[in-house]
Amino acid sequence: MKLTILGCYSATPKINTNPTAQVLEIKNHTFLIDCGEGTQVELRRNMIKFSRVKHIFISHLHGDHCFGLAGLISTFNLLTREADLHIYAPKGLKEVITMQMKLSNSWTNYQLIFHELTSTSSELIYEDDKVEVHTIPLDHRIYTNGFLFKEKLGERKLDMNAILNADIDMAYYRKLKQGGDVPDNQGNMIDNSILTKDPKPSKSYAFCSDTAYSASIIPIIKEVDVLYHESTFIEKNEALAKPTKHSTAKQAAKIAKKANVGKLILGHYSTRYDGLNEFKAEAEVIFPNVELSRDGKKFEF
Amino acid sequence: MKLTILGCYSATPKINTNPTAQVLEIKNHTFLIDCGEGTQVELRRNMIKFSRVKHIFISHLHGDHCFGLAGLISTFNLLTREADLHIYAPKGLKEVITMQMKLSNSWTNYQLIFHELTSTSSELIYEDDKVEVHTIPLDHRIYTNGFLFKEKLGERKLDMNAILNADIDMAYYRKLKQGGDVPDNQGNMIDNSILTKDPKPSKSYAFCSDTAYSASIIPIIKEVDVLYHESTFIEKNEALAKPTKHSTAKQAAKIAKKANVGKLILGHYSTRYDGLNEFKAEAEVIFPNVELSRDGKKFEF
């Protein structure tokens, strides 16, 4: 998996701070997560091919997470895109985008397929043979979801020494990879675990922005490899975090610790702060493996 | 008057090309003209105070001219603006913006006042004691207006030598400034032109983007000091200009010549071109006083 941060600041832009947008490259997919104003330019700047983006996940309908979508859809159209575009977003966005297209008389040449989200419990919203995407209901001022991206466990690996020793017919290899028990040449059933090894562990990434501290997400994101959790504020500004339903870096770290994740990435910083070191320092006290997102930064895991 | 080009490129962005937005500073106003995606950041980059923007003029509802508006309105709100904001735009934009505000549960603290444009002939849309703004109906794929900004002629200037010679009572000075004839001490009416001088000539600026070549705008923009006229293409790509209802640099220059304007500024360049010199060279053959707009460039006149 490769995560590219296109923007990691909250609303009220400064020069050279971009609102939320990320690209997750996972199992040959290029998933766009949130699409704040300017995302189309940031995709270009980070050399991510527009044609590779086929699925866009929008957490909520605050402008700093979705006001770049109409422009991106229009640009795809001008570039004569033909491939379907799937958009997973709270109910309502379809109506706005449709009205914008109508007023500009710019219907897309390609299929624009909205998957409208309304559930307040976690649901599976995308699945193929390699990847699953689940929502993570968050606690924000308006209806908001994070997203959990999970590689599916691959096939079991054949232990060729064991297979040759047990004298298993090649016709059974496919069943073995899928985890089934198979007979040897004498007709004795052999347990799968004797003949195969565990597949490579599957990776997972959880995106949680924007949200107040919410213990209810912990079971959903339990033991993910990487958690991006918003930290709009640092602890000294907790009084601002509470009414706006945002988190502090310390709260993000608490969630990371309780969910026993592999790594925590912080982001969605308020532009009021001059630097980001305090975010990291504050979180590390609670949870050691913390990294700061920055616009244009790439994470591989 | 001072014109700041925030963006002068057409849709399909490259890195570091901004869609259309301009700021015209005229008689203590800061008028924003069009508001493509990213305009709020470009306002910051060009150090134009958000609080000074009280009137926004939107030419048409293609995204590269208005997709920055929702973000700007939201940011004004986050910055606790209180002053009214007037938006002059084609009918329809109010509905979109209202829906976006509703979905993000972000009603503005300040009054958002839409002036919905539907007329296909030129109309006066703003007036105070110093400035007038008229629409310039353009010929584009959807309903589009340019805007003509005119300083009003100031008061006539008193010719103090002539006034003292003619022995005019001070009580008549105000009437003289307003152009009236007044009596001398013997009661003889004296012609205003003997006692006053012409005021400073008033300046005017016409913004025309996006449009096909349209001779019908010539009477409206006749003898303006500065004309911004779109030139999406150069002449060799005229075949692209026609169906998209855009202009070439040569066509922009023809309009400038026929309208006998003071200066022509070109812009709304397609991002297909590597440089802009050909635009200028092509226009100069027809009309000599041509300048190229560039993102961040300022013109004073």
Side-chain angles (χ1 to χ4, degrees):
Chain A
M1 275 198 227
K2 184 175 167 191
L3 179 70
T4 302
I5 307 295
L6 303 180
C8 63
Y9 288 85
S10 66
T12 331
K14 284 202 272 196
I15 302 164
N16 299 327
T17 69
N18 295 305
T20 303
Q22 307 187 348
V23 169
L24 182 69
E25 291 169 85
I26 172 175
K27 295 283 185 193
N28 213 30
H29 287 293
T30 299
F31 290 145
L32 177 60
I33 310 168
D34 278 350
C35 190
E37 189 173 344
T39 294
Q40 55 178 329
V41 173
E42 296 313 310
L43 283 168
R44 284 263 160 100
R45 199 188 311 282
N46 287 278
M47 286 178 287
I48 290 166
K49 280 195 177 169
F50 284 176
S51 61
R52 294 211 37 83
V53 176
K54 291 176 182 151
H55 301 270
I56 302 177
F57 299 86
I58 301 290
S59 63
H60 67 303
L61 301 188
H62 280 152
D64 56 324
H65 296 256
C66 68
F67 280 172
L69 189 58
L72 187 64
I73 288 170
S74 302
T75 294
F76 284 172
N77 197 39
L78 287 169
L79 298 174
T80 66
R81 179 191 179 105
E82 291 181 1
D84 294 355
L85 182 66
H86 292 265
I87 298 170
Y88 306 78
K91 189 171 165 60
L93 190 60
K94 179 182 177 178
E95 197 181 348
V96 173
I97 296 285
T98 304
M99 192 187 291
Q100 287 175 305
M101 298 295 116
K102 185 181 162 192
L103 285 170
S104 61
N105 198 20
S106 309
W107 299 108
T108 58
N109 322 309
Y110 57 92
Q111 286 286 323
L112 199 56
I113 300 155
F114 282 90
H115 303 263
E116 297 195 292
L117 306 179
T118 55
S119 174
T120 51
S121 48
S122 179
E123 59 179 345
L124 178 67
I125 55 171
Y126 176 79
E127 182 176 25
D128 61 26
D129 56 342
K130 302 231 169 91
V131 178
E132 287 178 10
V133 185
H134 300 256
T135 58
I136 308 167
L138 299 177
D139 178 17
H140 195 40
R141 303 195 302 279
I142 59 172
Y143 176 66
T144 304
N145 291 296
F147 300 103
L148 172 64
F149 301 87
K150 284 166 73 172
E151 292 177 357
K152 284 190 176 172
L153 216 53
E155 293 186 323
R156 296 192 62 77
K157 292 191 172 172
L158 300 181
D159 180 343
M160 289 314 296
N161 285 337
I163 285 170
L164 293 172
N165 277 342
D167 199 11
I168 306 292
D169 193 289
M170 269 183 72
Y172 291 113
Y173 285 7
R174 172 113 211 93
K175 192 173 179 189
L176 277 174
K177 286 182 183 173
Q178 293 168 342
D181 300 335
V182 296
D184 65 12
N185 272 350
Q186 283 74 49
N188 307 312
M189 287 305 284
I190 312 289
D191 197 86
N192 184 284
S193 64
I194 295 166
L195 302 170
T196 67
K197 294 174 183 170
D198 287 344
K200 252 200 321 191
S202 70
K203 298 272 183 182
S204 54
Y205 170 63
F207 167 86
C208 296
S209 175
D210 304 6
T211 188
Y213 177 91
S214 170
S216 66
I217 71 172
I218 293 167
I220 305 169
I221 63 171
K222 197 88 191 166
E223 289 175 358
V224 294
D225 294 281
V226 179
L227 166 66
Y228 172 94
H229 193 291
E230 74 125 294
S231 57
T232 307
F233 300 105
I234 52 178
E235 199 188 2
K236 73 172 180 194
N237 298 120
E238 199 184 341
L240 295 172
K242 206 156 189 175
T244 57
K245 293 216 168 189
H246 283 300
S247 299
T248 64
K250 187 177 177 182
Q251 288 172 326
K254 278 186 185 170
I255 292 286
K257 186 181 182 187
K258 288 187 181 178
N260 193 29
V261 308
K263 180 199 291 288
L264 169 65
I265 299 175
L266 297 176
H268 198 265
Y269 317 112
S270 163
T271 53
R272 78 185 53 232
Y273 302 106
D274 286 330
L276 302 176
N277 293 337
E278 276 193 81
F279 287 87
K280 189 163 192 270
E282 178 176 305
E284 277 174 342
V285 172
I286 312 280
F287 182 84
N289 194 4
V290 178
E291 291 207 49
L292 293 170
S293 59
R294 289 180 193 273
D295 295 357
K297 193 167 172 181
K298 288 170 173 48
F299 297 89
E300 301 212 33
F301 46 94
Chain B
M1 277 199 225
K2 185 173 165 192
L3 179 69
T4 303
I5 308 294
L6 303 180
C8 62
Y9 288 85
S10 65
T12 331
K14 285 201 271 196
I15 302 163
N16 299 328
T17 69
N18 295 305
T20 302
Q22 307 185 350
V23 170
L24 182 69
E25 291 168 84
I26 173 175
K27 295 283 185 194
N28 213 29
H29 287 293
T30 298
F31 290 145
L32 177 60
I33 310 169
D34 279 350
C35 190
E37 189 172 345
T39 294
Q40 56 179 326
V41 173
E42 296 313 309
L43 283 169
R44 284 264 159 100
R45 198 186 312 280
N46 288 277
M47 286 177 287
I48 290 166
K49 278 196 179 171
F50 286 176
S51 61
R52 296 214 32 88
V53 176
K54 291 177 182 152
H55 300 270
I56 302 177
F57 299 86
I58 301 290
S59 64
H60 66 302
L61 301 186
H62 280 153
D64 56 324
H65 295 256
C66 67
F67 281 172
L69 189 59
L72 187 64
I73 289 169
S74 302
T75 295
F76 284 171
N77 198 39
L78 287 169
L79 298 174
T80 65
R81 178 192 180 105
E82 291 182 1
D84 293 355
L85 182 65
H86 292 266
I87 297 171
Y88 306 80
K91 189 170 163 62
L93 189 61
K94 178 182 178 178
E95 197 180 349
V96 173
I97 296 285
T98 305
M99 191 185 292
Q100 287 175 304
M101 298 296 115
K102 185 180 163 194
L103 285 169
S104 61
N105 198 19
S106 309
W107 299 108
T108 57
N109 321 310
Y110 56 93
Q111 285 286 324
L112 199 56
I113 300 155
F114 283 90
H115 303 263
E116 297 195 292
L117 305 179
T118 55
S119 173
T120 52
S121 46
S122 179
E123 58 179 346
L124 177 68
I125 55 172
Y126 177 79
E127 183 176 22
D128 61 25
D129 56 344
K130 300 232 170 88
V131 178
E132 288 178 8
V133 186
H134 299 257
T135 58
I136 308 168
L138 300 176
D139 178 18
H140 195 40
R141 304 195 302 279
I142 59 172
Y143 176 67
T144 304
N145 291 295
F147 301 104
L148 171 64
F149 301 86
K150 283 164 75 172
E151 292 177 357
K152 284 190 179 173
L153 214 54
E155 293 185 322
R156 296 193 63 76
K157 291 189 173 174
L158 301 181
D159 180 342
M160 287 315 295
N161 284 337
I163 285 171
L164 293 172
N165 277 341
D167 199 12
I168 307 290
D169 194 287
M170 269 182 74
Y172 290 113
Y173 286 6
R174 172 113 210 94
K175 192 170 179 192
L176 277 174
K177 287 183 185 173
Q178 291 168 345
D181 301 334
V182 297
D184 64 12
N185 271 350
Q186 283 72 49
N188 306 313
M189 287 305 284
I190 312 288
D191 198 85
N192 185 284
S193 63
I194 294 168
L195 302 170
T196 65
K197 295 176 183 168
D198 287 342
K200 250 200 323 191
S202 70
K203 299 272 183 182
S204 54
Y205 171 63
F207 167 85
C208 295
S209 177
D210 303 7
T211 188
Y213 177 90
S214 172
S216 65
I217 70 173
I218 293 167
I220 306 170
I221 64 171
K222 198 85 188 167
E223 290 175 357
V224 294
D225 293 283
V226 180
L227 167 66
Y228 173 93
H229 193 291
E230 75 126 295
S231 58
T232 308
F233 301 105
I234 52 177
E235 200 188 0
K236 73 173 181 193
N237 297 120
E238 199 185 341
L240 295 172
K242 205 155 190 176
T244 57
K245 292 215 171 190
H246 283 301
S247 300
T248 65
K250 188 177 176 182
Q251 289 172 327
K254 279 186 184 172
I255 292 286
K257 187 181 180 186
K258 290 186 180 178
N260 193 30
V261 308
K263 182 201 289 288
L264 170 65
I265 299 174
L266 297 176
H268 198 266
Y269 318 111
S270 162
T271 54
R272 78 186 53 231
Y273 302 106
D274 286 329
L276 302 177
N277 293 338
E278 277 192 82
F279 287 87
K280 188 161 191 271
E282 180 176 304
E284 276 174 342
V285 173
I286 311 281
F287 182 84
N289 194 3
V290 179
E291 289 206 50
L292 294 170
S293 59
R294 289 180 195 275
D295 295 359
K297 192 168 172 180
K298 288 169 173 51
F299 298 89
E300 302 213 31
F301 45 94

